[in-house]
Amino acid sequence: TPGTVARAHFRVLSDLLRYKFLEPESAFDEPLSAPVAIELFAAADLASPRKAPRLILNNPLQLMEENVDDTSRGWIDVQVRCRPCRWNAHPREWAFGWPFPSKAVLHMLSCGTSRGSGASEVVQLTQALRYTNGKTSGKDKATSLLKSMQRLRKHARNRMALMDLVLERGSGAAQYDTATHFVIYVQRVFIRSTAAMMRDIGSQSLARMRKFESERSAGAESGSLVPVAAADGANFDVPRGVCAGLSDEDAAAQLKIERAELMGSMVQDGIEIDTIRLSLKCPLSLTRIRTPARGARCRHPQCFDLESYLEYSRKSYGYTCPVCSEADFCHPNVLIVSSLFSRALGDFANEDEIEVLPSGRFRVPLPPEQQQQKQQQQQRQTQRGAEVLDANSGQASGQQQHHQPQKLVATKHEARAALEPNVVI
């Protein structure tokens, strides 16, 4: 009510009562309409049953009716959401959060009856774990009311029955200032299914592919292309700063783009890497990857399983890359599906790991015996290269003393090749 806030906040409160709160909480949901019930309260109100916030749900049976044309794209949920008020900011900038400690009780009321005359059910709010040392784990999230409403529906005497949701103080020490205000509201939300999101990510991969091709055509005219030799011997020009889009369509062109990009990642600071080992198992599920994906801004070729990542992200509300641990690098809007990695999964059906060569080709990793022999050979070459450099250094100092040019034991390039056998000169 307006009397619970200071006079300076009346303008914000007026905006609040008209605001529709259509901001999604995550990439997996989309609010369908303005709140069906909304209440403004102070944290101190939770301690008083008479002042506790109460949301009246009119026509709750209608709220639970499904009206999705394509159920494979998702489903409709009824959620209760809460946000701490920041009076110096617009409501769209308010974060999601619950007053702690708190709990919610959902009541079924017959038309015209009081709160205590019907069935009720305690709703477990989706809150972050809070420890006695003040630290938290996880995030406060919207809480679904749909299953609780469905269980209470059998107690409804008629379709005019009402429901109300009461927020009460829970057990534990309060972690909010009692003067802090919150806005709580009930809203119908569309929840996107994992299968639908996977289809959308495939579509956006195709869009990125077309953008890549268009910028490549524009770069060909302006001369801003980087020439890269493809693995099949043909030259391929890659536009600067553009990440290849990936999908199943235009497979030949996409494989060529990805291989060129992969070859580019094999060179760091002008030094070509010998091999890169890739795992064909997802770092999240530890099972074989089925749909390989990675973030568009990630610099590594390693992929993860798209379905496993989306399920993990749906629960955690986080978009951290499971490979490089970069925060927000793997938001669903910037994920790409790797057709090159998909091809490797098919070519190496019985392998758990593969190696990437500088040519952009894949191979089965060498057995441990051969790897040990290779390491020993590299050590011998490194030792021989060091001896060559020492001999060159000694002869060079002798030249300065006698002022007589002498032939060095080895050229500079030969010495470097002997010292660093994995470097391409």
Side-chain angles (χ1 to χ4, degrees):
T1 59
T4 62
V5 295
R7 184 182 301 274
H9 300 154
F10 278 172
R11 183 183 60 81
V12 179
L13 179 60
S14 176
D15 295 339
L16 180 66
L17 297 178
R18 296 193 301 266
Y19 196 62
K20 295 184 177 181
F21 290 99
L22 297 180
E23 298 83 19
E25 188 180 28
S26 70
F28 301 89
D29 66 78
E30 179 183 354
L32 295 177
S33 61
V36 297
I38 186 170
E39 182 80 10
L40 180 70
F41 66 96
D45 297 340
L46 297 178
S48 173
R50 192 166 52 88
K51 295 182 179 180
R54 179 187 183 189
L55 299 173
I56 303 296
L57 306 181
N58 298 311
N59 300 322
L61 301 184
Q62 183 179 357
L63 288 177
M64 291 183 284
E65 292 178 354
E66 290 282 350
N67 57 356
V68 181
D69 296 334
D70 185 5
T71 55
S72 66
R73 293 200 59 82
W75 61 93
I76 293 179
D77 194 11
V78 181
Q79 295 184 349
V80 55
R81 300 183 169 192
C82 187
R83 301 187 184 190
C85 299
R86 294 168 48 206
W87 301 115
N88 59 345
H90 194 276
R92 64 172 171 267
E93 301 176 8
W94 296 355
F96 293 90
W98 292 99
F100 185 86
S102 59
K103 63 179 181 180
V105 182
L106 185 65
H107 301 270
M108 170 59 75
L109 307 176
S110 298
C111 186
T113 61
S114 61
R115 179 186 305 178
S117 61
S120 63
E121 180 173 329
V122 177
V123 179
Q124 297 295 332
L125 300 177
T126 309
Q127 296 178 302
L129 297 177
R130 291 172 169 83
Y131 302 97
T132 55
N133 58 4
K135 294 184 178 181
T136 61
S137 176
K139 296 181 180 180
D140 288 348
K141 307 174 186 176
T143 299
S144 174
L145 299 176
L146 188 59
K147 291 184 178 179
S148 297
M149 295 174 66
Q150 291 172 346
R151 285 191 289 266
L152 290 177
R153 181 169 52 182
K154 60 183 180 182
H155 299 285
R157 298 179 181 178
N158 51 59
R159 290 189 62 85
M160 297 301 294
L162 305 177
M163 290 186 184
D164 73 344
L165 182 72
V166 182
L167 194 65
E168 303 175 355
R169 179 183 172 86
S171 60
Q175 296 189 4
Y176 274 102
D177 186 351
T178 56
T180 303
H181 285 82
F182 294 82
V183 57
I184 184 173
Y185 56 95
V186 175
Q187 196 172 33
R188 298 183 79 222
V189 179
F190 179 74
I191 308 298
R192 302 171 64 190
S193 68
T194 300
M197 295 195 67
M198 293 177 67
R199 291 195 298 267
D200 293 342
I201 292 172
S203 299
Q204 74 187 20
S205 296
L206 177 61
R208 296 179 68 87
M209 166 68 184
R210 291 172 177 170
K211 177 184 177 182
F212 185 99
E213 290 291 351
S214 63
E215 295 197 19
R216 178 177 179 273
S217 300
E221 299 177 359
S222 60
S224 61
L225 296 182
V226 181
V228 176
D232 55 5
N235 292 327
F236 186 77
D237 294 331
V238 181
R240 300 180 186 272
V242 181
C243 183
L246 315 173
S247 73
D248 292 333
E249 299 183 43
D250 301 326
Q254 292 177 44
L255 287 174
K256 200 172 186 180
I257 292 174
E258 285 193 69
R259 183 169 288 120
E261 187 181 25
L262 179 59
M263 292 168 60
S265 66
M266 298 286 290
V267 180
Q268 298 180 3
D269 298 329
I271 300 177
E272 188 174 89
I273 302 175
D274 188 15
T275 58
I276 295 179
R277 181 163 294 194
L278 300 180
S279 174
L280 301 184
K281 288 187 175 181
C282 176
L284 293 174
S285 64
L286 301 181
T287 58
R288 190 173 179 84
I289 297 174
R290 289 174 292 182
T291 306
R294 61 181 177 86
R297 292 189 293 169
C298 292
R299 309 303 300 175
H300 52 78
Q302 177 66 54
C303 292
F304 47 82
D305 184 67
L306 179 58
E307 183 176 5
S308 300
Y309 173 79
L310 291 177
E311 292 296 337
Y312 160 79
S313 182
R314 184 189 297 274
K315 295 177 182 178
S316 66
Y317 281 23
Y319 310 115
T320 300
C321 177
V323 178
C324 62
S325 301
E326 291 287 350
D328 298 328
F329 266 36
C330 289
H331 190 282
N333 291 339
V334 295
L335 289 179
I336 52 180
V337 179
S338 173
S339 56
L340 185 61
F341 207 99
S342 298
R343 183 172 181 177
L345 289 169
D347 293 341
F348 301 91
N350 299 322
E351 302 294 334
D352 293 334
E353 288 185 333
I354 57 175
E355 286 184 346
V356 184
L357 301 176
S359 62
R361 298 293 185 180
F362 299 115
R363 75 174 183 189
V364 178
L366 297 176
E369 299 80 9
Q370 295 186 16
Q371 291 183 5
Q372 185 176 4
Q373 293 177 2
K374 185 177 180 180
Q375 291 177 357
Q376 294 175 354
Q377 181 182 4
Q378 292 176 355
Q379 291 176 359
R380 289 194 297 268
Q381 291 177 346
T382 301
Q383 184 178 1
R384 187 162 55 251
E387 294 174 353
V388 169
L389 290 180
D390 291 341
N392 288 342
S393 177
Q395 289 192 9
S397 61
Q399 290 177 9
Q400 294 177 358
Q401 294 177 0
H402 299 90
H403 303 284
Q404 295 179 359
Q406 298 181 11
K407 182 179 180 181
L408 298 181
V409 175
T411 65
K412 177 181 178 182
H413 292 291
E414 292 173 345
R416 184 184 176 192
L419 181 62
E420 300 179 84
N422 292 333
V423 176
V424 178
I425 306 300

